Amino acid sequence: MSGELIVLGACPLDCPDTCSWVVNVEDGRPVSMRGNPDHPYTRGALCVKVNRYLEQTRAPDRILHPMRRVGPKGSGRFERISWEEALEEISVRLRGIVEEHGGQAIWPYLGTGTLGYLQGCEGVAGRRFWNTLGASKHWLNICAAAGNSGLRLTNGSAGGMDPENFALAGLILLWGTNPLTSGHHFWKFVQEAKANGAYVVAIDPIRTRTADQADQHLAIRPGTDAALALGLLNVVLAEGAQDEEFLARHTEGWEDFREEILRYPVETVAEITGIPAEDIHSLGMRLAHTRPTAIRATMGIQRNEGGGTTMRTIAAIPGVTGDWRHPGGGVSYSTSDHVHVAIDTREDLLPAPVRTLTMTRLASELAKPDSVKCLWVYAANPVGSTADSNRIRKQLEREDLFTVVMEQFPTDTVDYADIVLPATMQTEHMDLHAGYGHLYLLWNEPAAQPPGECLSTTETFRRLAAHMGMTEPSLFDSDLELAESLLSSGHPSLDGITVDRLRKEGWVRMNYPEPFTPFADGFPTESGRLRFPPSGKAYVPSLSARTRGAGPYPLTLITPAPHMFLNTTFGNNPELRRRAKDPVVLVNPADAEARGLSGGQRVRVHNAGGAFLADVEVSDRVARGVVAAPKGRWPKLTPGGTNPNAVVEERQADLGRGAVYHDNLVEISPA
């Protein structure tokens, strides 16, 4: 048919699967989207959320023009202005802030709304512009920082198994991960392993969709996972099943770590974790005698005070069992450290060294009177996604805080902006992607012209740099020039991968063998060996594990990923909201009875930091003392106007300044 075009692209969202997609375009308008059937990981399927992506691009609440605030901060009242007016007002305000307070008073707050290397957080989009102004740096710790830090301490890299190799495993531990909700393409490799006789265990405080499909579910007490890892290894030692040859050739600190393991017998670990001793022993026996064993532990497991140590200790398991030597053995957390693109943020443009501000400490930093005078939010929705949201709202009301938000939709954060800039969506701009759950680079070619006056992130910063009279040539690099630069690192994994090839083929596997055994012959540490946790540092209990139900807030709140939203993306989609129904909090029957709560009852989940409303779902999917309320709701579209982040504290994990979304104490009362 005349006017038909097939455009290859990639999903930009915060999910390990980073799907390759195919957009059918007729007469310049995208008419359908599907998963790319030729991509080995996507295999033709998209998730329930992204299946509505094209619909979302045409939503009636899409922001299409620059806007200026005309009402009080938080009111969401704006007037349309031109790009020229927006750029002029921004330029004047930024110059004034730099002159009076210094560039560090500007905080570029970049989130995970897109993981693109051109338009999003993976390439630190806009950083060259911010360096020219001397703006503060931004530590994006909200998602994976604690776990990354722990893995690098053990292995020298947060990269691990190729998730496709789970198909080769004999024992699979799905540890604090729910791929059937957040990354379902991984499941087909689990199914292949199961078809070949693999035994699958889900270790999770919640009996999730994934746990329902596993051979066994272990309902662990939140934040005690490192203790379980030590208990399982205790059984391995009792069986004499440690791989002495691998330990001697490829590890350091074994004798001290061995003594640490012996301090965690099964009975002690059962008391710590809440898992019956016989279940720990049984799984320990499987771990001792099943090669290869593959462990999938993703970001949820490390969102507590001991999260970094948790991943550090779990990463030690295949060092003891020698699973790293076997295809289909090891640990999979993120594949990002296997991506060796060249990210050049031009640090030489900084006029002087600058501080780094931590993403999850937004409320506290804004509360300092002279710390931040401009907050520039892009690919983020902190009012909906960041800890201590009530304090964030209060600080965003500051009249002396100049807030600019680049957005696609009128989020709760947009309501507090002074200037709103309309942003493109993935089908409307170029980008380069790499999954953090597979080993492919993907190219996203635009399938449509941007609607209204929407601009990409890269184009916005190019125009702003020009308006401010900046002359540094690298600030004006085109998207294709930026992409060429990214692929110029010279790393062997990128040999033969060019922008032209990616644009033609849509995706290319990086140059890693199949199967991929990244640490079979050593580790990227100074010694070339896996580093076991030192004595006394293999288990750091979470806040909830320490308190064990004592005090005025005896319940541990978990805020898992929702099935219908991705973080707060799609939180305004009418059909997905209809399917998600009203917010719920899962409560164990014993906890519900103790509080006189019944199913469907509207309740107030609260602590000293705030509260949110939800309907009770009485369920044994959570253990006694644990409650669960999925994240992802827009507060202003939610009963009571808040979501679970109202009760999430600003505390940090033990490593990497990670977030603690699954380590908060609450009480539940009738609303």
Side-chain angles (χ1 to χ4, degrees):
M1 176 180 174
S2 176
E4 279 192 341
L5 182 67
I6 293 176
V7 178
L8 299 179
C11 179
L13 301 178
D14 186 9
C15 166
D17 294 5
T18 310
C19 290
S20 174
W21 68 33
V22 179
V23 181
N24 287 76
V25 180
E26 293 183 4
D27 298 323
R29 184 176 184 269
V31 294
S32 66
M33 173 187 287
R34 67 188 189 280
N36 189 342
D38 298 325
H39 190 274
Y41 207 83
T42 305
R43 296 190 190 178
L46 298 176
C47 67
V48 67
K49 302 170 273 283
V50 177
N51 274 327
R52 310 199 78 84
Y53 196 88
L54 281 185
E55 170 190 303
Q56 192 78 345
T57 66
R58 297 189 283 265
D61 58 344
R62 180 85 187 266
I63 296 173
L64 299 176
H65 308 282
M67 299 186 296
R68 177 193 293 122
R69 177 172 62 89
V70 295
K73 290 196 171 190
S75 67
R77 290 166 49 197
F78 299 96
E79 64 178 359
R80 178 179 171 179
I81 58 175
S82 68
W83 265 104
E84 180 65 22
E85 290 174 293
L87 294 175
E88 178 61 19
E89 184 165 337
I90 290 168
S91 298
V92 170
R93 293 294 296 270
L94 291 181
R95 286 194 195 98
I97 289 168
V98 172
E99 290 171 5
E100 185 175 353
H101 303 282
Q104 292 188 87
I106 301 169
W107 187 351
Y109 195 95
L110 171 61
T112 59
T114 169
L115 303 191
Y117 279 90
L118 300 181
Q119 312 295 346
C121 65
E122 291 289 8
V124 198
R127 190 62 229 180
R128 293 180 181 181
F129 173 82
W130 299 121
N131 282 345
T132 303
L133 287 178
S136 291
K137 293 184 179 180
H138 174 69
W139 176 242
L140 204 159
N141 67 318
I142 201 165
C143 183
N148 282 336
S149 298
L151 284 161
R152 289 168 186 156
L153 285 172
T154 297
N155 294 336
S157 168
M161 289 181 65
D162 178 354
E164 294 183 47
N165 293 164
F166 273 71
L168 306 175
L171 173 64
I172 294 175
L173 306 185
L174 302 175
W175 207 325
T177 187
N178 181 19
L180 286 178
T181 281
S182 48
H184 72 89
H185 297 82
F186 167 75
W187 192 251
K188 56 181 163 283
F189 304 107
V190 176
Q191 289 177 308
E192 289 181 41
K194 288 185 72 172
N196 292 323
Y199 191 80
V200 179
V201 181
I203 304 168
D204 200 303
I206 309 171
R207 194 172 76 246
T208 62
R209 292 169 182 258
T210 299
D212 283 339
Q213 299 300 315
D215 295 300
Q216 185 179 14
H217 171 228
L218 299 182
I220 192 168
R221 188 170 285 134
T224 64
D225 304 272
L228 177 59
L230 294 166
L232 296 175
L233 288 174
N234 190 286
V235 179
V236 171
L237 290 185
E239 289 293 294
Q242 65 271 23
D243 188 327
E244 294 286 3
E245 195 271 341
F246 190 87
L247 286 165
R249 289 187 60 190
H250 297 303
T251 73
E252 61 183 61
W254 168 236
E255 288 306 317
D256 284 346
F257 187 57
R258 183 179 183 278
E259 293 303 312
E260 186 79 355
I261 292 169
L262 294 176
R263 287 193 277 272
Y264 287 85
V266 167
E267 293 74 16
T268 299
V269 172
E271 171 62 24
I272 294 171
T273 62
I275 299 172
E278 57 269 27
D279 289 343
I280 297 172
H281 184 266
S282 174
L283 181 56
M285 292 291 288
R286 289 186 185 275
L287 176 63
H289 299 295
T290 307
R291 305 275 77 77
T293 288
I295 301 171
R296 175 78 159 184
T298 52
M299 288 69 210
I301 197 173
Q302 46 91 68
R303 289 176 181 155
N304 63 73
E305 279 191 5
T309 298
T310 293
M311 284 310 307
R312 184 180 191 178
T313 301
I314 288 174
I317 293 175
V320 176
T321 61
D323 273 295
W324 283 121
R325 70 163 79 237
H326 303 289
V331 174
S332 170
Y333 176 71
S334 168
T335 56
S336 291
D337 276 9
H338 296 313
V339 183
H340 295 282
V341 300
I343 301 171
D344 185 7
T345 56
R346 292 297 306 273
E347 297 300 293
D348 60 300
L349 297 177
L350 282 166
V354 297
R355 64 183 178 173
T356 298
L357 298 175
T358 304
M359 187 176 199
T360 53
R361 295 192 64 81
L362 178 61
S364 290
E365 203 61 48
L366 292 182
K368 300 174 184 177
D370 298 319
S371 178
V372 180
K373 295 297 183 181
C374 172
L375 182 71
W376 189 293
V377 180
Y378 53 129
N381 179 18
V383 175
S385 297
T386 304
D388 214 345
S389 58
N390 287 338
R391 289 179 63 217
I392 291 173
R393 288 174 188 263
K394 181 178 179 181
Q395 296 306 319
L396 289 176
E397 292 174 353
R398 283 173 38 197
E399 285 296 331
D400 67 326
L401 178 68
F402 180 53
T403 302
V404 178
V405 180
M406 299 164 64
E407 249 298 351
Q408 301 152 354
F409 297 100
T411 65
D412 293 82
T413 304
V414 164
D415 288 348
Y416 291 87
D418 293 290
I419 297 290
V420 181
L421 301 178
T424 48
M425 294 181 69
Q426 185 77 345
T427 49
E428 301 152 8
H429 56 228
M430 288 183 179
D431 215 338
L432 175 69
H433 289 266
Y436 64 88
H438 59 59
L439 296 175
Y440 301 89
L441 290 183
L442 303 94
W443 181 259
N444 185 77
E445 191 73 14
Q449 290 296 314
E453 297 181 274
C454 295
L455 295 181
S456 67
T457 302
T458 48
E459 181 61 18
T460 296
F461 285 116
R462 283 190 287 261
R463 291 196 186 186
L464 183 55
H467 197 90
M468 294 187 71
M470 297 178 179
T471 58
E472 162 57 42
S474 68
L475 299 178
F476 305 98
D477 283 355
S478 69
D479 289 357
L480 288 176
E481 288 171 326
L482 290 169
E484 294 280 4
S485 174
L486 285 161
L487 297 177
S488 68
S489 70
H491 193 273
S493 65
L494 301 181
D495 283 352
I497 302 177
T498 65
V499 172
D500 285 344
R501 181 182 174 191
L502 282 167
R503 294 185 78 181
K504 179 181 178 181
E505 300 178 22
W507 56 271
V508 177
R509 181 179 167 93
M510 291 177 285
N511 297 312
Y512 291 108
E514 299 183 65
F516 180 39
T517 52
F519 308 134
D521 300 313
F523 295 81
T525 59
E526 290 183 4
S527 65
R529 294 169 175 263
L530 178 148
R531 300 173 295 209
F532 286 116
S535 180
K537 294 189 176 181
Y539 169 49
V540 174
S542 65
L543 172 66
S544 60
R546 295 197 309 272
T547 60
R548 296 286 293 272
Y553 305 110
L555 301 172
T556 299
L557 174 68
I558 303 290
T559 60
H563 199 70
M564 296 298 168
F565 312 127
L566 203 161
N567 302 328
T568 63
T569 301
F570 302 109
N572 62 326
N573 183 279
E575 176 58 20
L576 293 176
R577 289 179 62 212
R578 184 191 67 79
R579 294 187 194 181
K581 302 179 181 177
D582 284 342
V584 299
V585 56
L586 272 65
V587 183
N588 181 270
D591 291 323
E593 182 179 4
R595 290 161 178 78
L597 305 177
S598 57
Q601 181 180 359
R602 179 65 51 86
V603 294
R604 182 173 176 267
V605 184
H606 59 96
N607 60 20
F612 66 95
L613 300 181
D615 295 338
V616 170
E617 182 178 326
V618 179
S619 174
D620 63 0
R621 287 187 175 274
V622 290
R624 188 168 187 172
V626 178
V627 296
K631 64 179 180 178
R633 303 274 182 168
W634 284 21
K636 66 182 179 180
L637 301 181
T638 302
T642 57
N643 69 14
N645 285 320
V647 300
V648 174
E649 295 184 81
E650 247 194 12
R651 290 176 293 112
Q652 295 180 168
D654 53 341
L655 299 174
R657 294 171 285 175
V660 294
Y661 289 103
H662 302 326
D663 192 17
N664 293 275
L665 306 178
V666 299
E667 183 54 283
I668 298 181
S669 308

